[in-house]
Amino acid sequence: MINSSGIATDDRSETLLHWLPTVLGRIPDDVRPISGDASFRRYFRVSTGESSLIAMDAPPGREKLRPFIHAAGLLEKAGVNVPRIFAVDETRGFLLMSDFGDVSYLQQLAAGDTEALYADALEALVRMQRGIDAAGCGLPAYDETLLQRELELFPVWFLAGLLGLELNAAEESLYRRLSLSLTESALQQPAVVVHRDFHSRNLMVTGERNPGVLDFQDAVVGPVTYDLVSLLRDCYIAWPEARVRRWLDDYRQRFAEGGAHAETDGETFQRWFDLMGLQRHLKAIGIFARLHLRDGKSGYLPDIPRTLRYVLDVAGRYPETAEFRRFLDVRVCPFLNEAAA
């Protein structure tokens, strides 16, 4: 009998427990749930003797395995350390893959080694952006429709849903103009393969080929600065701006070394990065609110103030976003201050 006392009893977990011996060729010694993510996927650590694997449960109709499998192949071929896939059942939504362990970047960064860890992460990003042909990789485009749809999460789920703040006509027009401006900036950038969640919770500390990269199933072809924002202005941990600018400028120069793209001047690259950050962080705040309101996942609410601070900082730097910064100061921050009191 499998030791699975930590698994909640439901039809999918029972089916998974019956599936595992058929692909392992033996009954596993132990199957235990590990932390999931912001989607409907669940993960289990499967122990067999001295080895350990990870089983993914991706309910069909809610999650798809094919994008994960396709992206994994692209990343592995480019030299990025992603889990090795051992078995797949797309019909039932199960996948068995290698285990990168329990130590994420977010955990390790608290103990130091910041420069070494970020050097490894940026190197992995270079490999991904240089090593995968964006035009021929078969990934969907991070196009205007998707960028705009993501930006709608902020007013719908955060402003109206979480704060109960209804925008008047002038405020709706302001946000619409901001959205168009941010989308235009994103589409001006060189197009590369974009992980979309390249941050400290999805990077695992590994003994070889650090980091182990997870959660790449939503990869697209899009703006070069998107994953840099995810990493350097992480929603889960913040760094001094001077350090962020140094990392960013180093990466800008390295990105051009491959010869596929001409070197962009520092001011332009910084602007792309800042405005891309506005788009990503507005989206993230909306997602955090949606996870709480729709999915009953409230663990991301404490990350909203840090993420909103990024938005406030960047919106105050550029003339075309100054009005939006005033809107946040006058209409949004008082709601947050009242909620925190």
Side-chain angles (χ1 to χ4, degrees), residues 57-101:
D57 170 19
R62 291 184 178 271
E63 302 289 340
K64 296 179 180 179
L65 289 178
R66 180 51 49 184
F68 182 93
I69 297 166
H70 178 59
L74 293 172
L75 292 167
E76 177 61 35
K77 189 174 181 180
V80 179
N81 188 14
V82 295
R84 181 182 175 189
I85 297 172
F86 296 102
V88 178
D89 187 328
E90 289 191 63
T91 301
R92 286 185 281 192
F94 297 142
L95 183 147
L96 191 65
M97 58 187 171
S98 56
D99 185 359
F100 283 151

Side-chain angles (χ1 to χ4, degrees), residues 92-321:
R92 286 185 281 192
F94 297 142
L95 183 147
L96 191 65
M97 58 187 171
S98 56
D99 185 359
F100 283 151
D102 291 317
V103 183
S104 71
Y105 261 46
L106 186 59
Q107 295 166 296
Q108 189 67 22
L109 286 166
D113 300 326
T114 302
E115 292 295 336
L117 290 172
Y118 272 75
D120 287 347
L122 291 167
E123 175 61 29
L125 197 54
V126 167
R127 290 196 189 113
M128 184 174 74
Q129 293 188 346
R130 283 194 195 160
I132 302 175
D133 175 19
C137 65
L139 294 174
Y142 212 159
D143 59 13
E144 180 178 0
T145 299
L146 180 53
L147 289 161
Q148 291 281 334
R149 185 165 69 240
E150 290 179 341
L151 282 161
E152 284 304 306
L153 296 170
F154 181 77
V156 171
W157 289 99
F158 178 65
L159 296 182
L162 189 64
L163 301 186
L165 175 60
E166 295 294 338
L167 302 185
N168 59 39
E171 291 166 341
E172 288 181 350
S173 178
L174 168 65
Y175 194 75
R176 188 160 52 249
R177 293 195 306 273
L178 175 74
S179 297
L180 290 172
S181 177
L182 297 181
T183 299
E184 181 182 7
S185 175
L187 295 177
Q188 288 173 351
Q189 300 181 34
V192 297
V193 169
V194 177
H195 178 291
R196 286 183 79 192
D197 277 307
F198 197 80
H199 56 66
S200 60
R201 286 184 171 176
N202 287 333
L203 302 178
M204 306 301 291
V205 179
T206 57
E208 298 179 355
R209 301 175 64 204
N210 186 66
V213 179
L214 304 176
D215 206 23
F216 41 76
Q217 63 280 335
D218 293 325
V220 292
V221 173
V224 64
T225 63
Y226 191 92
D227 283 337
L228 285 167
V229 168
S230 302
L231 180 67
L232 304 183
R233 289 196 180 135
D234 195 325
C235 293
Y236 310 111
I237 188 169
W239 301 106
E241 186 61 19
R243 177 179 278 184
V244 171
R245 288 177 181 268
R246 174 170 55 80
W247 281 328
L248 181 66
D249 199 54
D250 288 347
Y251 193 86
R252 175 184 64 86
Q253 296 176 58
R254 288 199 62 194
F255 178 70
E257 288 173 1
H261 299 278
E263 183 171 336
T264 306
D265 68 88
E267 183 178 350
T268 299
F269 204 77
Q270 180 73 54
R271 177 185 172 82
W272 284 346
F273 177 78
D274 284 342
L275 296 184
M276 193 76 259
L278 270 184
Q279 192 274 349
R280 173 171 169 77
H281 292 129
L282 290 168
K283 175 188 77 168
I285 292 169
I287 289 174
F288 294 160
R290 185 177 67 183
L291 286 167
H292 168 67
L293 295 169
R294 187 191 70 182
D295 304 329
K297 298 180 179 181
S298 301
Y300 295 88
L301 289 180
D303 299 308
I304 288 179
R306 180 188 306 107
T307 309
L308 184 61
R309 172 48 56 190
Y310 290 137
V311 172
L312 290 164
D313 287 346
V314 170
R317 293 177 187 172
Y318 297 95
E320 63 268 40
T321 56

Side-chain angles (χ1 to χ4, degrees), residues 26-48:
R26 55 165 291 181
I27 297 175
D29 300 320
D30 187 56
V31 180
R32 295 193 175 273
I34 56 177
S35 59
D37 55 27
S39 72
F40 293 100
R41 289 182 297 273
R42 297 187 298 178
Y43 299 91
F44 303 87
R45 177 161 282 118
V46 180
S47 300
T48 55

